[in-house]
Amino acid sequence: MSASAPGAGAAVERSPTSVVEIRGARKRFGNLSVLDGCSLTAQEGEILTLLGSSGCGKTTLLRCIAGFLSPDAGEIRIDGRDTVPVPVNRRPVGVVFQSYALFPHLTVAGNVAYGLKMRGEPAATIERMVAAALATVSLSGFEERYPSQLSGGQQQRVAIARVLVLEPRVLLLDEPFNALDAKLRGSMQLELRQLIKRLGITAIFVTHDQEEALTMSDRIAVMRAGRIEQLGTPADIFDRPQTAYVADFVGASNFWEAQAASGSIALPSGQMVATELEGAVSLLIRPHNLALAAAGEARWTGRIASRRHIGALMEYEVEAGGAAPLKVVALRDVQAACVKVGDSVSISLRDPAACLAYPRP
């Protein structure tokens, strides 16, 4: 809330409105527990991503929201209404599947109009709404084409238009970029995010790709074994992971085994990392937070075990006496190009405050 008292000329911040509320959702298939008490909310106009590895429960949770599955326990509310007993075709949601599921025998206009026809809308209304939906996804003029005549990105936009034309309260997206090549996937992520934001719709997005989640989301729910491991903004998830699992899953990571004592962790470089832990710890060090120098400039030394080009970056693996080689990422400049496999190097932290420590089992 604003610090000022409400009055003439005073701006009052409004609390976000919860559109989707999931309370203690549980789901089992036989003896397998797929959802184990999941609770979270999706707010008005936000893109909330369910992120996790295969089998973590993210798609099951999405299907429960859509109505394709019913949870064994818990509530799924949309605008305050418990939707668990509501049939699929009466829920205010639209689903974009990873396969797009377009009808190959129907034109673009026919695919987008299908749901409206099933709803019994008048022909004039259908024509108007289809034209508006196709304009929204920049496909005006493609009405008479068939799916086989479209690129992958165009097919995806038709699938999105077919959902948007029904004016759903919540847009559900189940790994919609899987069928696209890497370059197109990146451009479509930004395009879809901009479209959702322009429309002001609430969206819940499922992916196993952490880079995709960081690009698309306002908030991310990292799932593990049917539970929410951490819920937060992309910056929270990447920079302030609450558990070692999240730190390892989201972004490239190094874990350096060390001892914490008297509020700090001493590294071989002589640098100190502050911590509230004591005893054996695993220290998270992101590869971009490490710098290489010529051997002898610091006490933390190692040997280049491998290197690979990643566009404008170089990624090195440095054997430095730990349980696993340290990953180091640097700009692919002249100096980096001179460091070869087998070379001895020194390592230092760019920012000790960016490291996080976790208790070691």
Side-chain angles (χ1 to χ4, degrees):
M1 296 290 291
S2 171
S4 302
V12 179
E13 296 180 7
R14 297 180 60 188
S15 298
T17 301
S18 295
V19 176
V20 180
E21 297 177 79
I22 301 168
R23 303 176 180 176
R26 298 181 182 276
K27 184 66 179 177
R28 298 182 68 88
F29 295 106
N31 294 324
L32 179 63
S33 177
V34 182
L35 296 178
D36 189 13
C38 288
S39 297
L40 73 159
T41 61
Q43 298 168 351
E44 184 84 46
E46 91 165 328
I47 302 174
L48 173 66
T49 294
L50 306 178
L51 173 66
S53 58
S54 297
C56 72
K58 58 187 185 297
T59 296
T60 297
L61 184 56
L62 190 83
R63 291 174 68 84
C64 286
I65 299 169
F68 302 133
L69 293 172
S70 293
D72 299 326
E75 295 180 346
I76 297 175
R77 293 180 173 271
I78 298 179
D79 289 329
R81 180 190 181 191
D82 186 6
T83 60
V84 171
V86 179
V88 175
N89 62 340
R90 298 184 66 84
R91 296 193 184 198
V93 302
V95 186
V96 178
F97 300 98
Q98 51 184 293
S99 64
Y100 308 149
L102 300 179
F103 297 114
H105 62 288
L106 295 181
T107 63
V108 166
N111 269 281
V112 177
Y114 183 81
L116 296 173
K117 290 181 177 179
M118 293 298 99
R119 205 160 69 180
E121 297 286 352
T125 300
I126 292 175
E127 183 177 358
R128 173 179 56 79
M129 293 181 73
V130 168
L134 290 177
T136 297
V137 297
S138 303
L139 283 179
S140 297
F142 287 74
E143 289 84 354
E144 299 307 314
R145 296 194 190 185
Y146 288 87
S148 61
Q149 298 173 308
L150 303 176
S151 68
Q154 290 166 342
Q155 289 181 38
Q156 185 191 59
R157 280 188 268 166
V158 174
I160 293 168
R162 184 176 59 183
V163 170
L164 294 180
V165 78
L166 298 174
E167 299 179 335
R169 186 73 172 100
V170 181
L171 179 63
L172 305 177
L173 302 116
D174 185 10
E175 306 216 38
F177 304 114
N178 272 11
L180 305 179
D181 62 65
K183 186 173 183 179
L184 181 57
R185 188 183 305 129
S187 63
M188 288 301 298
Q189 288 166 7
L190 294 175
E191 185 176 316
L192 181 56
R193 177 174 170 81
Q194 291 168 355
L195 172 62
I196 292 171
K197 287 300 174 182
R198 188 169 76 245
L199 296 175
I201 197 169
T202 298
I204 299 178
F205 180 82
V206 162
T207 185
H208 65 275
D209 186 323
Q210 45 95 9
E211 290 185 10
E212 195 165 90
L214 294 170
T215 299
M216 288 286 299
S217 313
D218 295 309
R219 289 190 303 153
I220 300 170
V222 180
M223 296 189 65
R224 179 188 186 191
R227 294 173 176 261
I228 307 298
E229 186 85 358
Q230 183 176 347
L231 175 65
T233 66
D236 289 334
I237 298 297
F238 187 86
D239 294 326
R240 296 173 289 278
Q242 294 174 354
T243 66
Y245 176 84
V246 175
D248 189 40
F249 187 76
V250 180
S253 306
N254 296 300
F255 286 97
W256 183 262
E257 295 186 356
Q259 291 290 322
S262 302
S264 63
I265 301 165
L267 292 177
S269 60
Q271 294 166 292
M272 307 296 288
V273 176
T275 182
E276 295 180 356
L277 300 177
E278 291 286 329
V281 298
S282 291
L283 186 67
L284 168 66
I285 308 173
R286 297 293 190 189
H288 64 269
N289 195 24
L290 288 172
L292 297 182
E297 293 185 13
R299 294 192 301 254
W300 195 359
T301 59
R303 185 186 67 85
I304 301 294
S306 68
R307 70 173 194 170
R308 67 182 180 122
H309 301 268
I310 313 176
L313 302 176
M314 292 286 289
E315 181 185 81
Y316 301 93
E317 286 196 334
V318 183
E319 294 175 343
L326 288 172
K327 291 185 176 67
V328 181
V329 172
L331 285 174
R332 188 181 167 189
D333 54 15
V334 175
Q335 182 179 0
C338 293
V339 181
K340 302 292 192 298
V341 173
D343 286 355
S344 294
V345 292
S346 289
I347 311 161
S348 63
L349 278 178
R350 298 180 185 276
D351 181 10
C355 298
L356 294 173
Y358 303 93
R360 190 150 29 108

